[in-house]
Amino acid sequence: MKKPIKYLPNLYVCLTIFVSLFAVASFIYALFRFGLSLHHDEWVGRGLYPGLAMGHGFDLYEPKTGPHVTLYGFGVALFYSLTSVCTTPNQAIWLAFVLNVIGFSLPTAFLLNQSLKNYILEIKTRVWTIIGIIILLISIFSTEPTTEGILRIHADMPALFYLLASVCFFLKYNSSQKKIFLIFTAVALCFSIWAKVTTIHAILYPLSFLLFQKRYVDALTYIPVIILSLITTFSIFTIFYGWNDTTFILFKHITSGTWSIRNSLFDGTNAKLAKMNYIEAIPLMFRFFVMYLAEYWYIFSCCLGSLVLLINKAKN
């Protein structure tokens, strides 16, 4: 009978460490190169200019007299307002990119920790697992045309950050039953809307969850909380930027926008532009939804499978 190789365990550990360090170094280098490319991105001003304007106390919305700063909500400006401490454009772009990475990583780490804490009991192992998953997620997102925008200096990452933060607060509310976390959930969802109005449907997920759990009192409590949060956050910023200007930028100008009617998800060749309201655009949005399902059926399948397992676990 052959004896086991004496140094095999040490060799395995060394190879694991080497592969891990190589993967992390490659990820950091790729992240650095992506951040460097943002210095030549023509869309960088969409997120950076509002943040700099808010940080320095300038008006965001002047549709009649100018200057024209942004057509996005003040949630974007708030997210990138820290860049106002920078003294050069390069510094501001790098800081905005770091804010993107942190804005995605921190709430994701919290959510992963909540999911893994009952399965990976050792803290050190759990931390490294979370870091590895975040690296994998950012790597995948940065290669997909639909998701790579979260690392760009634009409205996507602020909206996603507020959404993820709302989920974190909602989880804390479920575990502690403290109303303050329900308020934080509603405020975070409001800022997600004020960053990108297309996230408005997300305000329904706490209500849907509470109704599904048959927590009708909590569901009734959430309704006035989210309404008051929307009114309060909007009113506070209209004090600084003016009611008429803010409502025009956030609501009225959208009605003059056009929708792209096409049959391809990413190829806009031969697309037709048509003016329509949200009710009229429902069939078009459903078409895009079907195209997303066809393109990313594997993600949908995983989500559906996870939902089934979660429901079965809740019943048991």
Side-chain angles (χ1 to χ4, degrees):
M1 183 176 180
K2 294 183 179 180
K3 294 182 180 180
I5 300 176
K6 183 177 180 180
Y7 299 105
L8 187 59
N10 293 335
L11 179 62
Y12 173 76
V13 171
C14 291
L15 285 174
T16 302
I17 294 175
F18 173 78
V19 171
S20 301
L21 290 176
F22 178 78
V24 171
S26 301
F27 171 76
I28 293 175
Y29 177 74
L31 207 60
F32 169 77
R33 296 293 299 180
F34 191 95
L36 200 62
S37 70
L38 295 181
H39 291 71
H40 309 281
D41 185 6
E42 61 180 342
W43 296 96
V44 71
R46 292 290 185 99
L48 197 57
Y49 293 165
L52 292 171
M54 176 178 284
H56 288 288
F58 295 111
D59 197 351
L60 287 182
Y61 307 124
E62 282 291 347
K64 295 181 179 179
T65 61
H68 177 70
V69 177
T70 182
L71 287 175
Y72 285 97
F74 42 79
V76 179
L78 182 65
F79 183 83
Y80 290 118
S81 60
L82 189 61
T83 57
S84 61
V85 302
C86 300
T87 57
T88 66
N90 286 341
Q91 292 177 3
I93 293 172
W94 275 117
L95 180 55
F97 178 62
V98 171
L99 289 174
N100 281 354
V101 176
I102 294 175
F104 176 79
S105 300
L106 284 184
T108 303
F110 176 85
L111 295 175
L112 287 172
N113 183 64
Q114 293 295 110
S115 302
L116 298 174
K117 64 181 181 181
N118 294 327
Y119 302 97
I120 305 178
L121 301 180
E122 188 181 0
I123 296 178
K124 182 179 178 180
T125 303
R126 190 162 71 243
V127 168
W128 283 111
T129 302
I130 290 172
I131 292 174
I133 294 175
I134 290 175
I135 289 175
L136 180 62
L137 287 175
I138 293 178
S139 300
I140 294 173
F141 287 167
S142 62
T143 59
E144 275 291 332
T146 304
T147 55
E148 60 93 21
I150 66 169
L151 291 179
R152 297 189 181 277
I153 304 170
H154 204 274
D156 294 337
M157 189 59 240
L160 180 60
F161 166 74
Y162 295 129
L163 281 177
L164 292 175
S166 75
V167 177
C168 296
F169 289 131
F170 191 63
L171 286 177
K172 289 294 293 182
Y173 169 69
N174 277 319
S175 61
S176 66
Q177 293 299 307
K178 293 181 179 180
K179 294 292 189 276
I180 187 65
F181 289 113
L182 185 63
I183 296 174
F184 287 160
T185 300
V187 171
L189 285 171
C190 291
F191 276 113
S192 177
I193 297 171
W194 304 138
K196 205 163 188 179
V197 73
T198 50
T199 62
I200 191 170
H201 58 278
I203 64 176
L204 297 177
Y205 86 77
L207 182 64
S208 303
F209 178 84
L210 294 172
L211 290 175
F212 179 78
Q213 293 286 315
K214 297 181 179 179
R215 294 160 57 182
Y216 301 118
V217 175
D218 290 345
L220 289 174
T221 303
Y222 171 75
I223 294 174
V225 168
I226 188 63
I227 293 175
L228 288 174
S229 298
L230 284 167
I231 295 173
T232 303
T233 51
F234 182 77
S235 299
I236 290 175
F237 281 91
T238 55
I239 293 174
F240 295 98
Y241 301 124
W243 175 270
N244 292 332
D245 291 346
T246 306
T247 53
F248 176 83
I249 293 295
L250 295 185
F251 303 110
K252 293 180 181 179
H253 93 278
I254 296 177
T255 59
S256 62
T258 56
W259 296 78
S260 176
I261 303 176
R262 58 189 183 186
N263 297 316
S264 177
L265 192 58
F266 301 113
D267 184 10
T269 305
N270 299 323
K272 297 180 180 179
L273 298 179
K275 287 186 177 182
M276 60 182 77
N277 58 39
Y278 281 111
I279 302 299
E280 295 172 334
I282 288 177
L284 179 61
M285 289 188 286
F286 181 75
R287 181 192 298 182
F288 273 93
F289 176 70
V290 173
M291 288 191 289
Y292 269 103
L293 290 183
E295 181 74 21
Y296 299 106
W297 59 269
Y298 48 91
I299 297 178
F300 176 75
S301 301
C302 292
C303 293
L304 186 61
S306 300
L307 180 61
V308 171
L309 291 175
L310 181 64
I311 294 175
N312 291 334
K313 184 177 179 181
K315 289 181 178 179
N316 297 328

